[in-house]
Amino acid sequence: MSDALQKTITLLLLIALGLLLKSKFKNKDQTNGIKEIILSVALPSTIFISLMKIDIDSSMFVIPLVTLIFNFLMFFSAPLAFALFGIEKNSPTGRTLMMLIPSLAPGLSCFPFIAEFLGEKSLAIAALADVGNKFFVLISLYILAMNMFLKNSDDKETKMGGKLKSLFASMFQEPINLLIFIAIILLSLGINYSKLPPLVLDIFDKTSAMMTPLVLLFIGLAVQLKEGKKRIVASILFFRAGITMLISAGMIYVLNITDQNMVLLSIVIPLSAASFWPLAHISAFNLREDAKGMAKEKRTFDLELAVLLLAFSLPFSTILILAILSSGSFFAHTSTLITTGLVLICLGAVPNVVSKVFVKVSKASS
C-alpha cells in the first residue's frame, strides 16, 4: 500500500470515528467546544510552528493579495450560477449565495491535509494566503451585506464605521491572526523556531500535535443531514467547486506556477469549505429584520439556506481536497483542472435540467 493511500485511509477512519461518536455529542455546545480548541489552540500552534521554521522573504507577501483577487473573481463568477439554476439575483436566495460562494474556511477543511500531504512550508504559505481571505470575509463581505440590507429595508440607522472598527479589532484578537503577526515580527528580527526557549517549543509542539485528529473527529461530528433545500445546495457546491478549478487553472497559467506543491496549494486552498463569517453577517441582519417582524420572503437573506450550505460544504470540500492531495501529481496539470471543473459544473446543472425536462413532459402529457 502506498504512503498516500495509507495516509488517506487513516484520515478517513478518523472522520468515520467522529461519525460513530455523534450519539455521544448530542449537545451542540460540546461540538462547538472541540471547534474552539482547534481554532484557538491546535491550529494557531501548528501555523506558528510552520511559519517559524521557514525563511520568509518579501516576495511571499504577495500571497494574501493573490488570494484576495481569487475571492473577488469568485464573487463576480457567482451570478453565473443564478442563470444556470434559475435563481433571481435580488432574491433572499441570490443574496445569500453571493455572500457564501466566494468565502473560504481553510482552517478546518484544508490546513490539516496540507500539513499531512505537503508539509510545513506549504502550510505556512497557506496561512499567509488565508490573511487575504480573512480580509475579504470579514471586511468586504460585511460591507456587501450592509449594502444589501440597506437596499432591501431602507434602514438608515446602522453605523458602518463602528461596525468596521469592531471587525478589525476582532480580526486581530483571533489567536491564528495574532500568532501569524508575532511569527512575522520574530522572523524579521532574525529569530526562528530553533532559537525559541525549549519550554515554548515543547508547548507549541504538543498543542500542534492535537490538530489533525481533532479536526477530523470534528468533521465527523459536524456532518449534518438535515431536510431542506438539498438539491439547490448540492448543485451550488458542485458549481462552486467547478468554477474554483477553472479560476485556479487560469491563475496557475497566468502566474506561471510550476512547482508541484505550489500548484496543489493553488487548487486545494480555493476548494476550502464556505466560511462561517458570512453566516455571522447574515444572522446579524436577520435579527434586525426579526425585530421588525418582516415576512420571510421579504428578508434580505435566507438564513436556512446559509446554514444548510455550510453544513454540507465542510464534508464536500474535505472529500475533494483529500482526493486531490492523495492523487499525487494527477491534478497538477491545467488541462486536468479545466476538464474536472467543467465536469463538476455539469454535475451541478444536471438536477435543474432534469427538473425542467420533467416539468415540460408533465405539462405536455396533461
Side-chain angles (χ1 to χ4, degrees):
M1 185 184 295
S2 67
D3 288 342
L5 181 59
Q6 183 174 325
K7 191 175 290 185
T8 303
I9 292 172
T10 302
L11 299 179
L12 289 173
L13 287 174
L14 282 170
I15 294 174
L17 180 59
L19 285 167
L20 290 173
L21 291 172
K22 278 179 77 73
S23 60
K24 302 287 185 181
F25 289 79
K26 294 178 181 178
N27 189 335
K28 191 177 179 182
D29 290 338
Q30 292 175 311
T31 308
N32 287 338
I34 294 175
K35 180 182 176 182
E36 194 58 41
I37 292 172
I38 293 167
L39 295 179
S40 298
V41 181
L43 187 57
S45 293
T46 304
I47 289 172
F48 180 77
I49 291 171
S50 302
L51 285 171
M52 292 297 290
K53 284 186 176 179
I54 68 166
D55 297 322
I56 295 182
D57 57 70
S58 57
S59 64
M60 294 184 74
F61 291 100
V62 76
I63 293 171
L65 178 61
V66 172
T67 312
L68 187 60
I69 291 170
F70 171 84
N71 287 129
F72 278 106
L73 287 173
M74 283 295 290
F75 173 75
F76 291 115
S77 299
L80 294 175
F82 304 155
L84 199 61
F85 306 126
I87 297 168
E88 174 60 41
K89 183 179 178 180
N90 289 320
S91 66
T93 297
R95 289 188 285 263
T96 300
L97 295 178
M98 287 294 290
M99 293 285 290
L100 285 165
I101 286 176
S103 69
L104 302 175
L108 289 174
S109 58
C110 187
F111 284 176
F113 308 113
I114 290 173
E116 289 294 322
F117 286 92
L118 302 181
E120 291 179 340
K121 182 176 180 180
S122 294
L123 181 59
I125 293 170
L128 287 175
D130 191 37
V131 173
N133 171 64
K134 285 279 178 60
F135 182 89
F136 180 79
V137 296
L138 284 171
I139 309 302
S140 301
L141 286 185
Y142 181 80
I143 294 171
L144 174 68
M146 174 78 75
N147 186 49
M148 290 176 175
F149 172 74
L150 292 176
K151 281 184 177 179
N152 188 60
S153 63
D154 294 325
D155 190 324
K156 306 298 181 185
E157 298 175 4
T158 305
K159 295 180 180 179
M160 189 180 293
K163 291 289 186 180
L164 290 179
K165 284 181 182 178
S166 72
L167 280 171
F168 272 116
S170 68
M171 185 165 65
F172 284 102
Q173 286 169 4
E174 282 189 38
I176 292 176
N177 297 333
L178 189 60
L179 283 179
I180 288 174
F181 185 65
I182 292 171
I184 290 171
I185 290 175
L186 290 174
L187 288 169
S188 67
L189 296 173
I191 302 172
N192 58 26
Y193 195 67
S194 62
K195 294 180 181 178
L196 293 175
L199 179 62
V200 174
L201 294 178
D202 201 32
I203 290 172
F204 276 104
D205 284 336
K206 284 181 167 53
T207 52
S208 171
M210 299 189 295
M211 186 186 72
T212 300
L214 278 180
V215 167
L216 296 173
L217 288 171
F218 173 77
I219 290 171
L221 291 169
V223 171
Q224 299 291 331
L225 298 173
K226 295 179 181 178
E227 293 300 324
K229 304 173 182 178
K230 289 183 181 178
R231 183 176 65 82
I232 187 63
V233 166
S235 295
I236 289 299
L237 289 176
F238 275 108
F239 169 85
R240 180 178 182 265
I243 286 291
T244 293
M245 285 194 167
L246 294 181
I247 294 175
S248 292
M251 295 186 82
I252 290 166
Y253 177 78
V254 170
L255 298 174
N256 193 29
I257 301 172
T258 55
D259 179 76
Q260 183 173 310
N261 277 13
M262 286 299 292
V263 169
L264 290 173
L265 278 178
S266 304
I267 299 167
V268 299
I269 293 174
L271 283 172
S272 299
S275 173
F276 167 80
W277 279 104
L279 177 64
H281 302 328
I282 287 169
S283 298
F285 292 114
N286 194 66
L287 284 173
R288 293 178 69 95
E289 291 171 338
D290 274 340
K292 293 180 179 181
M294 189 178 288
K296 188 176 179 181
E297 62 274 8
K298 293 183 179 180
R299 299 282 177 105
T300 308
F301 303 106
D302 185 339
L303 186 60
E304 180 189 338
L305 175 63
V307 171
L308 195 62
L309 195 144
L310 281 177
F312 281 94
S313 179
L314 182 58
F316 183 85
S317 291
T318 300
I319 291 167
L320 278 179
I321 290 167
L322 262 176
I324 289 168
L325 291 178
S326 62
S327 67
S329 61
F330 179 76
F331 284 94
H333 306 283
T334 52
S335 57
T336 306
L337 276 181
I338 292 169
T339 303
T340 307
L342 292 173
V343 168
L344 287 170
I345 291 171
C346 290
L347 287 173
V350 164
N352 189 51
V353 172
V354 170
S355 178
K356 284 183 176 179
V357 170
F358 180 77
V359 169
K360 285 183 179 179
V361 169
S362 297
K363 285 183 178 179
S365 61
S366 62

